[in-house]
Amino acid sequence: MDRHPHPESREAVSREETTLRVPFLLDMEYRYAVGQYGRRFFTELRDRARLMGVRCPECERVYVPPRPVCGICYRELHEWVEVGPEGTIVGWTVVRIPFIDPMTGEQRPVPYGFAIIRLDGAATCLYHFLDETDERKIRVGQRVRAVFREKREGSLRDILHFRLLEE
């Protein structure tokens, strides 16, 4: 039985079998434009150590990081509001497998805590590092606070990590 009943399919397979492939690792630097919302978010973070979001005029959800349109109501978002710097853990893990950190290009020291955090006043969550690696001390619903770098550059790395708050 012919695996490829159509002549075009046989041609495609034949071309693929004769295609020359050269494995090559290409290292390309690039800059990503964050747009006006990202620019304001990162500028506030850098200059004032403030976390900002935008509020929907229809459903009143606050998006952090900010975006130009509400994902629920499809309304344009223009009202900026400060959120956090405290929030609540809604999910977490402790990473114990070494890997190359895509933000720095260096191997990230393990173990480290990582959490999904809903900042006070926000309807969405931010993913970031925790200062704790003991699973017995971390839980969903736990309160955390952002710890900012002293010298900030305008990126999420301006937040060193989130510190667990005493209850």
Side-chain angles (χ1 to χ4, degrees), residues 134-151:
D134 184 346
E135 292 95 343
R136 296 168 296 187
K137 296 180 180 178
I138 309 168
R139 64 177 175 71
V140 169
Q142 183 145 22
R143 301 285 297 158
V144 293
R145 181 176 182 83
V147 176
F148 297 98
R149 290 184 189 281
E150 208 164 303
K151 183 172 170 56

Side-chain angles (χ1 to χ4, degrees), residues 10-120:
R10 280 194 291 273
E11 278 182 31
V13 169
S14 176
R15 278 193 308 265
E16 189 172 314
E17 290 171 354
T18 61
T19 302
L20 176 63
R21 298 177 193 272
V22 178
F24 182 76
L25 178 60
L26 180 62
D27 186 17
M28 293 177 47
E29 289 191 29
Y30 65 93
R31 292 186 182 267
Y32 174 77
V34 296
Q36 66 182 8
Y37 285 76
R39 183 177 60 236
R40 178 158 180 195
F41 176 76
F42 289 122
T43 299
E44 290 285 340
L45 186 56
R46 180 192 67 207
D47 297 348
R48 296 176 189 85
R50 287 195 325 175
L51 294 160
M52 301 295 290
V54 286
R55 183 188 333 265
C56 176
E58 183 77 24
C59 68
E60 298 190 354
R61 282 181 174 80
V62 174
Y63 289 91
V64 178
R67 58 173 69 176
V69 176
C70 178
I72 305 299
C73 305
Y74 307 109
R75 298 282 304 268
E76 286 188 26
L77 306 177
H78 300 288
E79 181 189 353
W80 286 82
V81 294
E82 186 174 0
V83 297
E86 293 184 1
T88 304
I89 294 175
V90 297
W92 62 273
T93 189
V94 173
V95 178
R96 299 187 183 285
I97 299 171
F99 75 100
I100 302 300
D101 187 329
M103 292 194 302
T104 64
E106 298 173 5
Q107 185 166 322
R108 179 121 182 108
V110 290
Y112 66 90
F114 197 74
I116 304 168
I117 299 162
R118 180 170 293 119
L119 295 169
D120 293 348

